[in-house]
Amino acid sequence: MHKVIFDTDPGVDDAMALLFLHRHPDIDLIGITSVFGNASIETTTRNALFLKQAWGIAAPVARGLGETFNPSRPHVDWPTGIHGHDGLGNIDVPKGIDLPLDPRPAHQFIIDTVRTNPGEVTLVAVGRMTNLARAVRNDPDIALLVKEVVIMGGAFDVPGNITPAAEANIHGDPEAADVVMTAPWPVTVIGLDVTSQTVMTRAMLADIAERGGTAARLLADISRFYITFYEQHVDDGMVVHDSCACAYVVAPEHFETRSGAIRVLCGGIADGQTIQKPDGRLFPPNAWDGLPSQRACIGIDAEAVLKLIGDTLAKVR
């Protein structure tokens, strides 16, 4: 069993990833931490509680901070054209959810949970890296106690999706992402190089909804707005970015990775760009020297990953 804390900004594809983690038999979902990104921290936290209630998820929800690691960064508008005004495809999520939050801020929840389960916790982060950066800055020793960090974000050998240089999660808080990439914990980055190849068609989603019961039907309702957005990018369906990171946790054999130190550009026209110095390449002294070697995904068996995601989402617990 993989003990997972899911750091998320729900978000349509975040909702799919959450249901995947909840339904996969090899995942023990021990916490959900909210972060701002696809919507405000108030909205993403409310959405996490809504999905926890709707899907009967036992894991506690802890609210993250509502500002970037560098608080002087200018605010970027919420992507309502992608995820809707409620963050979940305009399904009219109730304004209030009658469930308690964990009393700790998300970064402290991460610290405490990792220290309680040394060497066992995988952090799966599919939004901005703000909570993870704050946790490792406040308690650097947890980096040696985390089993693995799996990130959905970045673009290495392909263009970004928020600018030509940057992917949206990293661009939203580059300073936090650079802290996470350069900390001495094992990081695997599942970026646009591979997620852009995993397109779930309308037929696949309809099949999941038919097989997967009430929870899967809610997911299909949430996803309709997202599919409409993706009509300008793919022939049919939607790209399932966040679920790819969750699939990696249980089936890394479906992915090809490249090792090397990773830095994130902070500022300038390439703000948020992820750049890896591949292991074995020689360069003059530079800002990647002496940093831990992390893994960037550069290849994927998209068909196998989509089947894994679909079959997991269709399981009725």
Side-chain angles (χ1 to χ4, degrees), residues 247-304:
Y248 177 85
V249 175
V250 297
E253 66 274 12
H254 296 327
F255 298 80
E256 177 189 357
T257 62
R258 180 179 65 207
S259 62
I262 298 172
R263 297 302 307 267
V264 179
L265 271 62
C266 300
I269 62 170
D271 195 28
Q273 184 176 19
T274 47
I275 303 177
Q276 185 180 48
K277 173 190 173 186
D279 287 341
R281 289 287 302 273
L282 298 179
F283 296 91
N286 59 74
W288 286 256
D289 289 347
L291 294 174
S293 179
Q294 312 291 17
R295 289 182 291 190
C297 280
I298 57 171
I300 186 173
D301 183 342
E303 183 177 354

Side-chain angles (χ1 to χ4, degrees), residues 18 39 54 64 106 119 128 161 170 181 220 225 229 256-257 301 311-312:
L18 177 59
R128 301 179 188 192
N161 62 356
I170 306 300
M181 302 292 188
F225 188 90
F229 164 78
E256 177 189 357
T257 62
D301 183 342
D311 288 347
T312 302

Side-chain angles (χ1 to χ4, degrees), residues 177-210:
D178 193 57
V179 167
V180 171
M181 302 292 188
T182 58
W185 48 20
V187 176
T188 301
V189 185
I190 315 293
L192 299 181
D193 304 72
V194 296
T195 65
S196 59
Q197 301 178 48
T198 54
V199 178
M200 180 175 287
T201 65
R202 286 178 172 84
M204 291 179 189
L205 185 62
D207 177 66
I208 291 166
E210 183 177 348

